[in-house]
Each structure stands twice: as C-alpha cells, then as structure tokens.
Amino acid sequence: MNPARTLLIVPPNDEEAYLIAEIGERLGMQVYRSSQPHGARLEKEPGVCAFIKKSSADTVVVVEMPGLKTEGEIRRLGRHLVIIDHHNYTDLDRAHALDGTPLPSSLEQFLRLFDVTDEQLDRFGYVPRFVRAVGLWDAGYIWALFDAGFSREDMEKFLVFKDEIALRVGAAEVAPHNKEMAKGAWEQRETFGDFLIVTSLDPIAQIRSNVSRLAAMEFWRPTPMIISERGGKRLYVQETDHALDLFHHFGGFTFGTDRNWGYDNDTEKVSCTLSDVKTFLYDTRKTHDAGI
C-alpha cells in the first residue's frame, strides 16, 4: 500500500488517534483530521465524501469512525476502503477478526498495515517502544505493558510521554476539573460484590480515565469496577468477564479486548441506568453460580 496514494481519515481525539494521524503525515499520507470527539461517526462528518472525491488518493483508511452508509458511498467512488478499529458498537462488531479473536489496538493495526519500523519511528523523533506502548495501553491498559516487560520505572517514563500527548489533544484525563472530580469520586467509592462502584453526579466531568489510573496505581492489579459519570449519562463496567454479556444485552460499546463495556445515554435510543447494570450483573452472577 502506497502512503502517497493513501488518504487517512482519523479523529485525533486521544493519544492513539493523535499518533496515527501524526505518523501517517510523516509517512507521506494525506490526512483528514475530524474534529469529532469520542464516538465519532462517518455520517456525522459533513462533506467527507466530497473531500475524498477531490482527493488524489486511491486508498482511503478510516480509523474508528464507523458508518456503513458512508462507507458504501466511498466504495462507490471507486476507492479502496480500509477500516481500522477494535471496538464493538450497538449495531456493529468491529472488535474481532473473522475467526472471532479480539483485534489489536488501532495503532498496532496501523503500524502493521504500513510496515512501520522502529527505525522509521526513531527517525521521526519518537521513542519506538513508547509509541507501541500507546497501542498496547489502548487495548490492554497498563497490564498489557507489564506483560510486554515494562517495569514500574518504565511505566512512569511512559506516562510522561503519554500525558504530553494527552495535553496536545485536550484529553479528558488531563483536565483539572476531571482530575478533581475523579479523585473525589474515587475516595467515595463503594463495593458491589466483586466490583468497586465509582459515581460522579457532576454534569460535565469525565472521570473514567483518571479513576482507572487511580485504581491501577493503588492496587497494581486489574480491578473490576462500575463507573457512572455525568450523573449517569455514561456508564462503564471494567475488568470483567461479563463485558460481552452486557454488550449483547444492552448494546453500547466494548473496549480493551472484550474486558470492558460502556454505554452512552446521550447517543443510545434506550436509556440504561446504574441500577439496570447492577441488576443484570447480579442476575448473571446468580445464574453462573447455579450452573445454569
């Protein structure tokens, strides 16, 4: 695949997507940066097909912006379409390969697709190990880095790199208000069976990333959690064997190689509450314990 004949469409709204866009540009690709936040969709990108039509690219690579109707329009323009993603969505499974195995992170897929070497990354001014770690983190969080041989000292150095990029993209994790609200919610956490429940009633605070890091740095092991943020507008269940059960029952989305589930009440047609999630997990646990 020729980078010079490739148009990369990506919403650089987190560290992974930011690096994909930046590396793509340095490889010589045409890069279309969407300004959509998390949950970006192709059909919400006005004029994207007109932009593609004017482009000289014969291959279009779309990163984490599902949209079957627009994807069909791109193909009808005669362009070769490549989808990079690793998430489930309410109406679409893009988290698995054809054989059912979980896909690696989008950054890992991107680097593999274009045969990006450590020598290239070094020439572009990156620490190759840290770039690849961003991909590992996105799919398997801190535990994937430990599995790859990172020490706690390595982790501290990597987090400096990661947070520098987070500042550039305006990631929720580095916003002072989100940090403050996450800390307060973490201190008020409760338990529900094997889960910690962390709740924030603040109408705008996005606490998940910070709460996840607080848990990791306190326990240094995967910790099952239920997180409710923005007064229940968005729900997450993390580090659980039941992420896919939740997805198949409620819809929503998955992340982290089928270990994490989320639900956005602002975008879904049917509302889901913290109480609904707790009831489902309780009933699932009862069924499992009964061997049904």
Side-chain angles (χ1 to χ4, degrees):
M1 201 174 298
N2 183 358
R5 300 286 296 174
T6 298
L7 172 63
L8 177 68
I9 299 176
V10 57
N13 50 33
D14 62 15
E15 300 91 316
E16 180 189 39
Y18 177 90
L19 283 174
I20 290 173
E22 194 170 78
I23 293 168
E25 201 163 60
R26 294 184 181 186
L27 289 170
M29 297 179 193
Q30 304 167 59
V31 179
Y32 177 104
R33 288 175 169 84
S34 167
S35 61
Q36 291 187 52
H38 276 259
R41 295 272 182 159
L42 268 178
E43 60 267 24
K44 294 181 181 179
E45 196 65 35
V48 68
C49 285
F51 185 92
I52 293 168
K53 194 172 183 178
K54 294 177 182 177
S55 160
S56 61
D58 49 34
T59 297
V60 177
V61 178
V62 178
V63 180
E64 295 188 6
M65 291 183 70
L68 294 178
K69 181 180 178 181
T70 307
E71 290 165 15
E73 292 173 5
I74 293 171
R75 290 188 177 97
R76 285 191 289 276
L77 289 173
R79 311 303 167 94
H80 174 56
L81 178 64
V82 177
I83 301 297
I84 292 180
D85 208 333
H86 64 118
H87 299 283
N88 274 314
Y89 304 93
T90 294
D91 53 356
L92 195 60
D93 180 352
R94 290 212 161 141
H96 302 91
L98 292 176
D99 63 1
T101 57
L103 289 167
S105 70
S106 293
L107 179 55
E108 291 173 277
Q109 292 180 51
F110 175 80
L111 295 174
R112 191 176 303 166
L113 180 65
F114 291 97
D115 297 318
V116 180
T117 66
D118 284 355
E119 289 75 21
Q120 284 176 298
L121 293 174
D122 184 68
R123 193 164 64 248
F124 294 156
Y126 300 111
V127 176
R129 192 183 189 206
F130 286 176
V131 169
R132 298 187 186 280
V134 169
L136 292 172
W137 177 286
D138 198 87
Y141 200 48
I142 192 172
W143 324 116
L145 273 64
F146 285 142
D147 289 343
F150 274 62
S151 65
R152 291 194 185 185
E153 183 180 357
D154 294 331
M155 192 70 64
E156 290 174 359
K157 293 177 181 176
F158 164 71
L159 287 174
V160 171
F161 169 76
K162 179 179 179 296
D163 287 347
E164 285 175 352
I165 300 174
L167 282 168
R168 291 181 216 167
V169 301
E173 189 171 358
V174 295
H177 181 69
N178 290 337
K179 285 185 174 183
E180 181 183 353
M181 292 298 102
K183 183 179 179 183
W186 176 246
E187 290 171 351
Q188 298 297 317
R189 63 190 181 272
E190 301 174 348
T191 58
F192 174 73
D194 297 333
F195 293 90
L196 296 178
I197 297 183
V198 184
T199 303
S200 172
L201 298 179
D202 186 283
I204 61 171
Q206 300 176 53
I207 67 168
R208 187 194 70 81
S209 294
N210 282 299
V211 166
S212 298
R213 190 181 293 196
L214 288 167
M217 297 306 173
E218 181 161 337
F219 300 120
W220 291 100
R221 66 176 185 275
T223 303
M225 284 193 295
I226 303 170
I227 301 171
S228 172
E229 67 177 26
R230 286 180 274 166
K233 288 182 180 178
R234 187 170 275 212
L235 302 166
Y236 302 93
V237 182
Q238 300 188 168
E239 302 295 352
T240 175
D241 293 335
H242 300 302
L244 285 178
D245 296 328
L246 287 157
F247 174 73
H248 292 311
H249 184 78
F250 293 107
F253 56 93
T254 65
F255 56 105
T257 56
D258 292 344
R259 297 286 300 165
N260 305 274
W261 169 83
Y263 198 90
D264 190 341
N265 279 300
D266 281 339
T267 60
E268 298 291 345
K269 295 177 182 178
V270 179
S271 65
C272 176
T273 68
L274 176 59
S275 179
D276 293 333
V277 172
K278 290 169 66 177
T279 298
F280 178 80
L281 290 171
Y282 177 77
D283 290 344
T284 301
R285 180 63 182 268
K286 277 180 58 180
T287 300
H288 178 270
D289 289 348
I292 298 175

